[in-house]
Amino acid sequence: MRLWSLFAVALLIAAPSTLSAQEHVDATAAITAASEAFDAAYNAADAAAISAMYTNDAVVYPPGGEAIEGMEAISAWFAGGLVEGGPTLDLQTGDVFAIEGAALETGSYVMTGADGSHIDHGNYMVAWSHTEDGWRMARDMWNSNMARD
């Protein structure tokens, strides 16, 4: 499965885009807006809103943990860690590569404590799928840039 995922990512990056320039701009704008909505849902500790941003068969790959498969499991995982008034998340979209209903977003994140302290920062990569309900995350992974003990 991982080999297939790596192949798919490489194909997304290497393949010439068959989208028009305007379609690519639209996909980039929609995915950037979706990332901002993810920030807002995370910062509001709204696990239901977060899980609604994923496809039914999505997989989340958190750092230092096992893969989480399916929207229900993803919702439960986020619900178990979100605290209203807790740490805040700030996602910054870097690049979006879009091809025929699929897109790959890369970016960075910063997590800040409620007291303003720096908790974590790192990079993320999301494979998006364009559904009849709009862009939804199909695969989501991130890694911390902070040194481990």
Side-chain angles (χ1 to χ4, degrees):
M1 181 66 158
R2 287 183 187 207
L3 184 58
W4 170 248
S5 296
L6 289 174
F7 174 74
V9 168
L11 183 61
L12 269 174
I13 292 171
S17 177
T18 57
L19 296 177
S20 71
Q22 184 59 47
E23 289 170 321
H24 191 297
V25 168
D26 292 347
T28 300
I31 288 169
T32 300
S35 289
E36 291 169 0
F38 187 97
D39 271 352
Y42 184 94
N43 296 338
D46 189 346
I50 290 172
S51 66
M53 296 179 191
Y54 288 90
T55 61
N56 289 331
D57 61 348
V59 181
V60 170
Y61 302 96
E66 298 295 323
I68 302 149
E69 299 185 30
M71 191 185 301
E72 287 183 28
I74 291 167
S75 181
W77 186 81
F78 276 108
L82 294 176
V83 177
E84 192 167 345
T88 59
L89 180 65
D90 181 28
L91 299 173
Q92 294 296 314
T93 298
D95 293 306
V96 174
F97 304 93
I99 299 174
E100 296 182 5
L104 177 68
E105 174 195 16
T106 60
S108 61
Y109 72 89
V110 174
M111 187 171 286
T112 305
D115 62 358
S117 63
H118 180 82
I119 295 175
D120 192 15
H121 66 280
N123 305 300
Y124 70 89
M125 183 181 301
V126 177
W128 293 84
S129 179
H130 193 268
T131 71
E132 59 188 35
D133 296 323
W135 288 99
R136 298 290 183 259
M137 292 181 279
R139 301 292 183 271
D140 184 9
M141 64 187 312
W142 62 97
N143 66 287
S144 175
N145 290 348
M146 295 180 66
R148 291 185 174 190
D149 293 334

